[in-house]
Amino acid sequence: MTDPMLMFIAAALLLAGFVKGALGLGLPTVSVGLLAVAMPPGRALAIVIVPAVVTNIWQTFVGRYLRDIARRLWPLMIGTVIGICLNAAALSHPSTGFGNIALGVLLVVYAVIGLSKFAFTVAPKNEKWVGGIVGLATGLISAATGIQVVPSVPYMQAIGLEKDELIQALGVFFTVATITLAFNLTSSGLLSTATALPGAIAMACAFIGMYLGQAARSRMPAETFRRVFLIAMILLGVYLAGTAVYELYLA
């Protein structure tokens, strides 16, 4: 990779780490979305996957709710693993135009849901079967785009997880999803020694960004930051999808 590309990767992961440090999620969402401007989503995810796994494992064990999270979210996690495996070939598909369109649309949907504060509830008696379906959909989407936040995050909010438990639950869920994606990337040849240097740079910048994001969280109004972040995701999603549609139209 050229030096400008490595600098772009560093900047993208610094920003993505900042968002994760401030909000507790968003590392793959932001970083894959930004990197997909310059490379296929599968290659972007291969660079991001190790920092995502490590930061999610750290988030998994910060809290006291691990047993309860596993008890409530196992259908969601199993469904996600199955969905990723069923759609394993999506990220290595030679045509990246449709992948970028899907990624752009998902970014817009995720941001619009966040801005609208749309909320629904799932009764405890329905958690297992609804969680399994949501997990399967999340896995299929994640295998194609590298993003695991839709529809999994709205579901976790819908079952009534409290603030601290939700943060830890996001870590547990994203750990399972990203480890599964890592296996798929390895088997498809996308995760290899060629991604070692950009991956190391991504790891360092992600942790620096997380530290800065955690520091900023105590100084910046959380709602203001969240709205700016979500609006930026809409613009990025529109750009990715629009550029891909234009390129497909010209082809």
Side-chain angles (χ1 to χ4, degrees):
M1 286 192 176
T2 62
D3 288 344
M5 181 60 72
L6 292 177
M7 292 175 64
F8 178 58
I9 291 169
L13 268 294
L14 192 65
L15 177 59
F18 182 87
V19 171
K20 185 172 179 66
L23 300 181
L25 75 165
L27 183 69
T29 307
V30 177
S31 55
V32 173
L34 290 172
L35 294 178
V37 173
M39 63 185 72
R43 190 177 183 189
L45 184 60
I47 293 171
V48 168
I49 196 70
V50 174
V53 169
V54 174
T55 54
N56 286 328
I57 289 175
W58 171 81
Q59 190 171 326
T60 292
F61 293 102
V62 178
R64 55 187 177 85
Y65 304 100
L66 188 57
R67 180 175 297 181
D68 187 53
I69 289 168
R71 179 182 60 82
R72 296 185 68 182
L73 295 187
W74 68 264
L76 175 71
M77 292 186 285
I78 289 177
T80 300
V81 170
I82 292 172
I84 291 173
C85 293
L86 287 176
N87 205 21
L91 280 172
S92 58
H93 195 278
S95 176
T96 61
F98 292 108
N100 281 344
I101 292 172
L103 178 57
V105 170
L106 259 293
L107 289 174
V108 172
V109 169
Y110 166 64
V112 168
I113 290 175
L115 286 172
S116 66
K117 297 184 178 179
F118 173 78
F120 62 95
T121 58
V122 175
K125 65 179 181 179
N126 297 325
E127 282 185 18
K128 287 183 171 58
W129 69 267
V130 174
I133 293 173
V134 169
L136 182 63
T138 301
L140 292 171
I141 292 168
S142 179
T145 65
I147 291 180
Q148 304 111 33
V149 295
V150 179
S152 60
V153 173
Y155 168 78
M156 282 186 268
Q157 294 170 326
I159 64 175
L161 296 179
E162 297 297 330
K163 178 184 175 182
D164 292 338
E165 188 176 11
L166 176 61
I167 294 295
Q168 189 174 9
L170 291 171
V172 175
F173 172 73
F174 290 148
T175 296
V176 172
T178 50
I179 288 176
T180 307
L181 280 172
F183 277 112
N184 281 349
L185 290 168
T186 302
S187 62
S188 65
L190 287 170
L191 188 61
S192 64
T193 55
T195 61
L197 177 58
I201 293 172
M203 174 81 76
C205 292
F207 274 103
I208 293 171
M210 282 185 66
Y211 174 78
L212 295 174
Q214 289 169 345
R217 183 167 52 187
S218 62
R219 296 178 175 87
M220 180 187 299
E223 182 62 19
T224 300
F225 178 81
R226 188 184 69 86
R227 290 183 66 84
V228 172
F229 162 66
L230 292 173
I231 291 171
M233 286 297 98
I234 291 176
L235 296 175
L236 177 61
V238 170
Y239 173 79
L240 281 173
T243 301
V245 170
Y246 180 70
E247 291 176 351
L248 288 172
Y249 175 76
L250 290 181

